[in-house]
Amino acid sequence: MAIKIDTESIVRVIHPSSAKFNLDELNDHVEGFIEPLKIGPVWVMYDESAKKKGAAKNLIATFFFGVAIYGTVLIVPPQQLPEDWDIMDDSDRNYSSSDVDNGFLLSLQTALIRQRAFGLPGYSENISDFTSRLKTVS
């Protein structure tokens, strides 16, 4: 599972065609060639040339992660990365892919509610909320 956020602020859960995503699937979802960026316990993936192509800024991803991101964004748990990528940290093994997805969605929801109701918060609080929501896999 992964989370897909488009430039119209639509958030969807997506699934790989097999056990894990492959590179072609990731590229297809962002409509270009992915640029992976590790933020906290997730991989944020977006089209590396989305801004040059004139894609709109992804307001939700930009708000949540505190960095300007353009075009469609995928939030991918490390456990769902392509099989041939060997980039998981030891700490990534503490969480299941479901924990990461659910933790992200709950943190995003909380951050958007706070922002809408109180004009709060910034990037650092979003990430700390997200990390604190993850359960350690036993």
Side-chain angles (χ1 to χ4, degrees):
M1 230 167 63
I3 310 301
K4 183 176 183 176
I5 306 170
D6 69 23
T7 57
E8 266 118 53
S9 300
I10 297 173
V11 179
R12 295 183 179 100
V13 173
I14 60 169
H15 299 276
S17 60
S18 60
K20 295 183 177 202
F21 287 98
N22 63 51
L23 184 57
D24 290 335
E25 283 180 291
L26 297 172
N27 287 333
D28 288 346
H29 280 292
V30 301
E31 300 170 8
F33 295 105
I34 61 161
E35 178 71 32
L37 172 66
K38 178 115 169 57
I39 300 179
V42 297
W43 284 90
V44 179
M45 302 199 185
Y46 57 95
D47 177 5
E48 64 186 0
S49 58
K51 185 176 180 181
K52 289 179 197 171
K53 292 177 184 175
K57 185 185 277 188
N58 190 309
L59 298 177
I60 289 183
T62 296
F63 163 74
F64 191 83
F65 292 110
V67 60
I69 302 174
Y70 293 81
T72 300
V73 173
L74 298 178
I75 311 304
V76 183
Q79 301 84 346
Q80 293 292 299
L81 294 173
E83 197 68 51
D84 54 343
W85 291 13
D86 187 23
I87 55 177
M88 267 183 79
D89 295 333
D90 287 337
S91 64
D92 293 336
R93 299 179 202 296
N94 292 332
Y95 313 109
S96 72
S97 127
S98 172
D99 288 337
V100 173
D101 285 336
N102 292 334
F104 174 77
L105 288 171
L106 186 55
S107 296
L108 177 61
Q109 178 184 26
T110 301
L112 290 170
I113 289 169
R114 284 183 189 157
Q115 193 274 335
R116 186 170 272 167
F118 307 111
L120 300 173
Y123 158 76
S124 61
E125 189 168 333
N126 295 335
I127 295 298
S128 66
D129 276 358
F130 176 31
T131 305
S132 71
R133 293 183 194 282
L134 296 174
K135 300 178 208 166
T136 303
V137 174
S138 9

